Amino acid sequence: YIMKTLIVIPARWKSSRFLGKPLAKINGKEVIKYVWEKANLSKITKGVIVATDDKRIKSFCDKENIKALMTSKDHETGTDRIYEVSKKINSDIYVNLQGDEPLIDPKNIDKVALCLKKNVPKKFEVSTGYSKVKVFKKTSTVYLLKSKEHQACFFFRGKNSGELYKLYKSFKPLKHIGLYAYTKNALKRFHKYERSAAEISESLEQMRFIDNNEKIVCTEVTDSGFAVDYPSDIKKIEKFIKSNKKNSK
């Protein structure tokens, strides 16, 4: 039995730090199109779909022949948005690919999806990625702590570590890479759970799984080092692409 995998790219208009981010342009090409092209390089997917709450994003996708689905404006998180997709499109595994990662390595997508497929028999229904970092930064960067069995135990933002920092010091800091894969049932349960206190305070939706004793398995992936969080990130990415082109000549 081969498990079917669908990649879903949640794309909303009202990002608090960067309004209309999915349609912002990097070297003349929209952020969402970069992400969609990367998703299509995945070797294991049976399809890629953009899940949006905004007609501007939907009509852009239609024009570009990108499959897109209108979803509710009321979703608190990208995972809730993907739950809505799972009710409309059937798949065994749904990959949540952030719509603001234009330089994501397609191999990462496959790694996180395969990690879940391998671990479903061990009762895991959610997987995610991390990369090793040398130092722990007290910024809004998200870190995770994991067990020797590669189960993610906790997620936190560097700037909020405070007193817990002493505890973290005994762990190797791992940077969380916000790429997820879920089974259909995991999405269903997630949507039914109340938002947890840790999820709200850290603004980290994956804590809803942890706080409800759901197991998350994690795998090491590469870090592109670039996400579009603020308008200023566009210039940084353009610069990076330009210097990469020079170096590869």
Side-chain angles (χ1 to χ4, degrees), residues 51-116:
T52 187
D53 62 351
D54 192 274
K55 288 197 173 75
R56 287 162 285 194
I57 297 170
K58 173 78 165 75
S59 65
F60 168 77
C61 289
D62 292 345
K63 199 174 85 239
E64 295 285 330
N65 289 322
I66 293 170
K67 198 173 172 190
L69 197 65
M70 279 299 283
T71 50
S72 163
K73 279 191 182 339
D74 300 330
H75 293 307
E76 295 281 1
T77 69
T79 307
D80 291 301
R81 197 172 300 286
I82 290 169
Y83 166 66
E84 185 180 336
V85 173
S86 78
K87 290 196 296 183
K88 295 171 180 172
I89 300 173
N90 198 32
S91 187
D92 299 305
I93 286 177
Y94 297 83
V95 174
N96 177 349
L97 176 57
Q98 311 282 354
D100 57 5
E101 291 262 359
L103 302 181
I104 185 107
D105 184 343
K107 288 188 190 122
N108 287 354
I109 303 170
D110 291 350
K111 256 186 133 173
V112 168
L114 287 168
C115 172
L116 180 57

Side-chain angles (χ1 to χ4, degrees), residues 21-246:
K21 174 163 72 173
L23 298 186
K25 288 179 180 174
I26 298 169
N27 293 330
K29 189 199 293 183
E30 292 73 5
V31 170
I32 195 75
K33 192 160 186 200
Y34 271 94
V35 179
W36 179 79
E37 285 174 353
K38 288 288 169 72
N40 275 286
L41 295 172
S42 156
K43 292 197 166 44
I44 60 167
T45 183
K46 282 287 166 273
V48 181
I49 190 162
V50 171
T52 187
D53 62 351
D54 192 274
K55 288 197 173 75
R56 287 162 285 194
I57 297 170
K58 173 78 165 75
S59 65
F60 168 77
C61 289
D62 292 345
K63 199 174 85 239
E64 295 285 330
N65 289 322
I66 293 170
K67 198 173 172 190
L69 197 65
M70 279 299 283
T71 50
S72 163
K73 279 191 182 339
D74 300 330
H75 293 307
E76 295 281 1
T77 69
T79 307
D80 291 301
R81 197 172 300 286
I82 290 169
Y83 166 66
E84 185 180 336
V85 173
S86 78
K87 290 196 296 183
K88 295 171 180 172
I89 300 173
N90 198 32
S91 187
D92 299 305
I93 286 177
Y94 297 83
V95 174
N96 177 349
L97 176 57
Q98 311 282 354
D100 57 5
E101 291 262 359
L103 302 181
I104 185 107
D105 184 343
K107 288 188 190 122
N108 287 354
I109 303 170
D110 291 350
K111 256 186 133 173
V112 168
L114 287 168
C115 172
L116 180 57
K117 286 180 183 185
K118 276 205 298 252
N119 285 284
V120 164
K122 295 179 194 162
K123 302 282 186 281
F124 282 97
E125 291 191 54
V126 187
S127 66
T128 191
Y130 67 85
S131 69
K132 288 182 179 145
V133 282
K134 287 193 172 65
V135 289
F136 170 89
K137 289 181 184 160
K138 290 203 167 190
T139 60
S140 63
T141 301
V142 181
Y143 294 92
L144 67 81
L145 307 179
K146 72 171 185 68
S147 70
K148 288 190 177 75
E149 292 74 40
H150 300 286
Q151 183 176 336
C153 313
F154 194 65
F155 296 83
F156 64 97
R157 290 186 190 276
K159 64 172 184 193
N160 296 346
S161 56
E163 277 307 294
L164 291 167
Y165 186 56
K166 295 178 187 98
L167 163 72
Y168 302 145
K169 275 188 148 159
S170 59
F171 286 85
K172 285 204 168 75
L174 300 169
K175 182 182 173 184
H176 179 229
I177 305 296
L179 186 63
Y180 302 93
Y182 331 85
T183 64
K184 200 183 185 94
N185 283 332
L187 286 167
K188 206 177 190 166
R189 292 194 301 272
F190 177 88
H191 191 71
K192 277 191 180 147
Y193 294 140
E194 291 287 314
R195 293 182 79 206
S196 73
E199 172 190 0
I200 295 165
S201 70
E202 297 277 302
S203 177
L204 295 173
E205 66 207 76
Q206 61 275 31
M207 284 306 294
R208 197 186 310 179
F209 279 120
I210 301 270
D211 291 337
N212 285 285
N213 301 316
E214 295 265 354
K215 293 176 6 175
I216 301 179
V217 62
C218 52
T219 184
E220 191 177 348
V221 294
T222 55
D223 180 10
S224 77
F226 288 99
V228 182
D229 290 320
Y230 300 96
S232 57
D233 292 328
I234 298 279
K235 284 268 175 286
K236 288 178 197 160
I237 292 172
E238 287 181 340
K239 224 166 130 179
F240 176 77
I241 292 171
K242 205 172 162 182
S243 69
N244 254 23
K245 273 188 182 150
K246 269 187 197 155

